[in-house]
Amino acid sequence: MTDLTRELGLLAFGLGALACATAARAVRAHRGPARLWLTLAALHALLLLDTASNARHLLRALVIAGLKREDLYAGRGPWQLLLLAALGLGLLAVGRGGLRRLGRRGGHRAPDPVDPADPRRPLRLAWLAAVALGLILGLELVSLHAVDAWLYAPVGPVRRIALLWAACGLLTGTAAGIALRAARSAA
């Protein structure tokens, strides 16, 4: 990973964590949305630590070394496809579960689609960006060569994956900004 790629990831995840924590504080009167913002802040903080420590690449290298040692590396294709299917189903469940929680107000009412102060509206965008981040990172970890080639293709001075991280971070930051502005205008 190039240094600029890593730095862009650190910036995206760090700002994502800060934006989500700020949004959680702004909507603290709404317990459900505040908890989900804090969950997103924790996710971004973990991704920041992971990127700073290079942990996922070290884990991947250990798994590959173990597969090669056990002479399983060449036959990993079916397992990779199974992992991708599990990843897809898991992210679908997490995304759907989070969106379902956001669809309730007080546990029983649907959100007001025209109420700009409804703290769940921008949270939906941030939640979807987090699911997209999960997909990007899962694809990277499962490591299909054709997908890796696409993710790590250079785009100017960075790798494509960093631009995807930045796009998710921008969506998250925008959503958090909308939540913060709505909370301030409602106060």
Side-chain angles (χ1 to χ4, degrees):
M1 184 175 354
T2 65
D3 285 340
L4 286 177
T5 297
R6 185 171 185 226
E7 289 171 14
L8 186 53
L10 292 169
L11 181 65
F13 300 137
L15 290 177
L18 181 62
C20 291
T22 303
R25 183 166 158 64
V27 301
R28 65 184 172 273
H30 304 276
R31 292 182 104 169
R35 279 192 296 248
L36 287 172
W37 278 117
L38 285 174
T39 300
L40 292 174
L43 169 72
H44 283 83
L46 285 172
L47 291 173
L48 176 68
L49 289 172
D50 169 65
T51 303
S53 67
N54 216 16
R56 78 177 166 279
H57 295 288
L58 295 172
L59 174 64
R60 188 170 124 188
L62 285 172
V63 169
I64 289 171
L67 289 172
K68 285 182 177 179
R69 187 178 50 250
E70 299 298 323
D71 203 27
L72 298 171
Y73 186 75
R76 73 192 183 289
W79 289 106
Q80 286 174 305
L81 294 176
L82 185 62
L83 281 172
L84 281 176
L87 170 71
L89 290 173
L91 287 171
L92 183 63
V94 166
R96 192 165 183 241
L99 291 174
R100 183 177 291 151
R101 280 188 67 190
L102 290 170
R104 296 189 303 253
R105 171 176 277 171
H108 62 278
R109 265 188 28 218
D112 185 350
V114 294
D115 179 7
D118 185 346
R120 296 166 297 163
R121 293 181 70 207
L123 187 50
R124 285 186 195 95
L125 178 62
W127 194 257
L128 290 173
V131 170
L133 265 178
L135 178 63
I136 293 163
L137 294 168
L139 286 171
E140 181 185 17
L141 281 174
V142 172
S143 187
L144 296 171
H145 293 305
V147 174
D148 287 349
W150 187 84
L151 287 173
Y152 288 108
V155 178
V158 298
R159 304 288 178 184
R160 185 174 282 132
I161 194 166
L163 297 177
L164 295 172
W165 294 335
C168 290
L170 182 61
L171 287 173
T172 301
T174 300
I178 292 168
L180 184 60
R181 190 175 75 201
R184 285 184 179 160
S185 68

